Amino acid sequence: MAARKKAAAKSRTKRAARKSTKAKVKTRAKTKAKTKARTKAKAKAKAKPKPKARSKAATKTPGTRRSPATQNGAATTPATKGGQGGSVGGKLGIRVRMYRIGFGDFFLLTVPGKSGPAHILIDCGVHAANIGSMDDCVKDMASAEVTNKKLALVILTHYHADHMSGFASNYDDFAQFEVGAVWITNRLDPKDGKASKFMAQITSVAHSLQLQLGARNDPDGEEAQRKVHNALGVELGARGGANGGGNAKALKLLQEGFKNKPPVYYYQGGDTPTLPAELEGKITADILAPSPKESGGEYSASDNKKEQYLAAAADAGGVPNHKSVRPFEKTWPASAADYPARVFHEFDSGIAERSRKPNNDGAAKLQAMLENMQPDVLAAAADKLDGTLNNQSLVVLFTCQGKKLLFVGDAQWGNWAYWLYGKAVAGKDPGITARAKEILGSIDFYKVGHHGSTNATPIPAVGALNEHAAAMCSTATGAYGSPAKKTEVPRTALMDALETKTKDRMVRSDWVPAGKTKPDAQAKAELADLPSGFTTPGDLYIDYNL
């Protein structure tokens, strides 16, 4: 009996041992299977191709642009707020920063210099639609993470508040900057007697127009006032302080206010500019415009059309006449002496009063009547004043690391005509020059002229633009013009044309918020996401990286 119990116990022990062994084997098998499955899944995931970007047609909804497929992971990666996102620019170390300040220009171009990233400031101003972000933007630029108050080059394209007011409003901030060199349009050269006299005339006319327009509150009158204030940088009754006011104060800063008193150069189209030491051998710069001072008013047209009231609003040098606007172009030369006296009898005061003897004042009466029939003489003079200063814009083509970047200020038709055609052009387009085609067809970046105005980027220029170029437009809706008159800024038709030409790689400054100002609804409706190469920290500015 005891022997049977002992045998049974031994048998149970063997069965338990066999079960335990089987369980261990089974467990090891399961573990091995799981490990094999995980390895296989990882291999499969690694080998799986990335999903293709949806086509533009598949992603685009009516009235909304979607960005092209992201390249090099740079499309919407946020930069560090207030800094450079850990690096400057893209692979080439080139970056264009567009600050949002309202209706104005504030661009910071960063390129590889001899001792590291070098910064070029191109204009710094706001006028209409001022959103109050200028101080924040200047302080961001001055920070140690951006420029550390060092600029290799500062450029003022022309004498308008929306391109230079920041130098006045933040005079003390800029006075702490060390600058390698300053470039300014040669129309502001104080050593040139004719240029100084011309600008004195411009300022005198602006002040006179300001007084005459001060009491007007109609839409056309208010827009004319904004154009005049833009030419002065101050509004009626404003005081400038010890350093002068408005544009005059800004110009004083540029000419003598920087910490280290850098050299100041004044240029026009065709000049060979002097680069600061930091940029020598690193970039090249071609000055394409404005036209030579000797050309007088030949390139003063604001648009390519017969402007009977506007073109005659200036003398031979392009200075607007606020007192009268002649009814006909100079291409119709005639005087009262070219006609028999009886031609003017029906306007003669003597005959009109049924006197038998004429007073021989018929010609003068007719002239006065025609001048009184003009549509808004003051607005026409203000428009001419605006166009005259815009056409003085420095147009600069930079080349760096094989990339070409074009900055055109507020150049209008006359300025463009100088380097597109080499001559003044009115009417039918004769075709731009081979050199102009080569320039526009090879640029990688275009700073949209005059905030997207219809008279600032000619149709032939858009047609010749490199389709692979990117573009930036610093603008604000509602500041100037009217959709009903097809003069709104930015001009919708031009924005559409540039979007199409650049394959949706044209970005507006008001796409990004700034301070308490939200992104512009129109800008957001046009562009859903930032295109490849563009980045933003969420406020103040947008970067384009190369």
Side-chain angles (χ1 to χ4, degrees):
M1 185 72 177
R4 282 198 299 271
K5 288 182 178 179
K6 188 176 182 180
K10 187 176 182 180
S11 177
R12 285 196 297 271
T13 301
K14 287 182 177 180
R15 285 199 299 270
R18 285 197 297 269
K19 285 182 179 180
S20 177
T21 300
K22 287 181 179 179
K24 288 180 179 180
V25 171
K26 191 175 182 180
T27 300
R28 284 197 297 268
K30 285 183 178 180
T31 301
K32 187 175 182 180
K34 287 181 180 179
T35 302
K36 186 176 181 181
R38 284 196 296 266
T39 302
K40 187 176 180 181
K42 286 182 179 180
K44 186 176 180 181
K46 189 174 182 180
K48 187 178 180 180
K50 293 181 180 180
K52 293 182 178 179
R54 287 189 295 171
S55 67
K56 184 176 179 182
T59 60
K60 191 170 183 179
T61 56
T64 303
R65 290 187 292 140
R66 295 272 182 187
S67 65
T70 301
Q71 297 175 2
N72 302 324
T76 56
T77 304
T80 301
K81 186 174 181 179
Q84 299 177 359
S87 63
V88 179
K91 291 182 178 180
L92 299 178
I94 302 171
R95 181 188 67 205
V96 183
R97 175 164 293 180
M98 172 174 61
Y99 284 98
R100 185 186 180 191
I101 31 70
F103 196 89
D105 267 15
F106 185 167
F107 284 86
L108 183 69
L109 170 61
T110 301
V111 299
K114 288 183 177 179
S115 58
H119 308 285
I120 302 171
L121 175 59
I122 305 167
D123 291 331
C124 179
V126 63
H127 179 56
N130 187 345
I131 62 174
S133 63
M134 176 61 76
D135 187 62
D136 288 338
C137 291
V138 171
K139 285 179 169 53
D140 174 87
M141 181 188 67
S143 67
E145 294 81 9
V146 184
T147 67
N148 199 26
K149 298 180 182 178
K150 290 181 175 61
L151 295 168
L153 178 63
V154 175
I155 298 175
L156 174 66
T157 59
H158 64 294
Y159 196 76
H160 260 159
D162 60 350
H163 289 251
M164 62 192 300
S165 69
F167 297 118
S169 64
N170 289 71
Y171 191 103
D172 292 340
D173 291 312
F174 278 109
Q176 301 174 40
F177 274 71
E178 293 182 5
V179 175
V182 178
W183 295 356
I184 301 176
T185 175
N186 71 347
R187 279 17 179 219
L188 297 175
D189 186 353
K191 295 181 180 179
D192 186 312
K194 290 183 179 179
S196 296
K197 180 181 178 181
F198 182 86
M199 287 307 300
Q201 289 176 293
I202 286 284
T203 302
S204 176
V205 169
H207 278 296
S208 180
L209 282 170
Q210 186 180 39
L211 290 171
Q212 295 184 66
L213 289 164
R216 290 183 55 172
N217 56 11
D218 59 289
D220 289 342
E222 290 176 347
E223 181 166 313
Q225 289 178 52
R226 288 195 291 274
K227 291 178 179 178
V228 173
H229 296 159
N230 199 21
L232 296 171
V234 293
E235 296 189 5
L236 189 63
R239 297 182 181 276
N243 290 312
N247 294 354
K249 181 178 180 180
L251 187 60
K252 181 181 179 68
L253 179 281
L254 291 162
Q255 292 174 332
E256 58 185 69
F258 289 121
K259 183 178 180 179
N260 61 321
K261 304 297 184 289
V264 181
Y265 304 98
Y266 301 86
Y267 293 126
Q268 63 184 16
D271 286 346
T272 301
T274 299
L275 288 166
E278 180 65 23
L279 297 175
E280 287 180 351
K282 293 295 184 178
I283 68 169
T284 62
D286 295 297
I287 308 295
L288 304 181
S291 63
K293 287 181 289 188
E294 296 74 25
S295 62
E298 182 180 1
Y299 296 97
S300 63
S302 62
D303 211 338
N304 181 13
K305 61 183 180 181
K306 286 290 183 180
E307 299 172 311
Q308 292 183 332
Y309 298 109
L310 303 186
D315 62 22
V319 180
N321 182 350
H322 66 283
K323 294 182 179 179
S324 66
V325 181
R326 297 176 183 174
F328 303 114
E329 287 273 14
K330 293 180 180 179
T331 50
W332 295 352
S335 67
D338 295 319
Y339 299 91
R342 63 177 181 276
V343 171
F344 304 104
H345 277 182
E346 64 178 293
F347 306 102
D348 191 287
S349 60
I351 295 176
E353 295 169 4
R354 297 187 179 183
S355 171
R356 293 184 178 182
K357 185 177 181 180
N359 290 332
N360 296 320
D361 60 359
K365 291 289 185 181
L366 175 59
Q367 182 176 350
M369 183 175 68
L370 288 172
E371 289 181 353
N372 289 332
M373 290 170 63
Q374 308 280 333
D376 209 333
V377 171
L378 294 178
D383 192 76
K384 185 62 182 179
L385 174 71
D386 188 63
T388 297
L389 292 175
N390 284 335
N391 274 327
Q392 296 178 356
S393 290
L394 270 181
V395 175
V396 185
L397 175 67
F398 288 109
T399 302
C400 178
Q401 306 267 62
K403 300 296 183 180
K404 296 184 178 182
L405 304 94
L406 180 62
F407 293 84
V408 299
D410 277 359
Q412 293 187 199
W413 176 258
N415 185 301
W416 281 89
Y418 172 69
W419 67 274
L420 285 182
Y421 305 99
K423 62 181 179 180
V425 172
K428 186 178 180 180
D429 175 27
I432 64 177
T433 65
R435 179 171 181 263
K437 287 181 180 178
E438 189 279 328
I439 290 172
L440 292 169
S442 63
I443 64 172
D444 300 280
F445 173 83
Y446 171 54
K447 197 290 293 188
V448 179
H450 200 195
H451 320 289
S453 298
T454 185
N455 57 11
T457 304
I459 292 174
V462 176
L465 196 66
N466 178 12
E467 63 180 13
H468 299 295
M472 281 178 157
C473 180
S474 186
T475 191
T477 56
Y480 287 99
S482 163
K485 297 179 181 179
K486 298 182 178 181
T487 58
E488 77 279 7
V489 182
R491 179 76 176 101
T492 302
L494 174 60
M495 295 293 99
D496 289 345
L498 286 170
E499 289 161 6
T500 299
K501 189 66 178 182
T502 62
K503 298 179 180 178
D504 292 338
R505 286 164 53 77
M506 195 281 294
V507 178
R508 290 167 45 166
S509 59
D510 51 4
W511 190 92
V512 69
K516 296 180 180 179
T517 305
K518 296 180 180 179
D520 184 85
Q522 184 184 96
K524 282 289 188 179
E526 292 176 355
L527 181 64
D529 303 304
L530 285 180
S532 171
F534 290 86
T535 60
T536 176
D539 60 6
L540 290 185
Y541 58 78
I542 298 173
D543 287 343
Y544 176 60
N545 308 286
L546 285 165

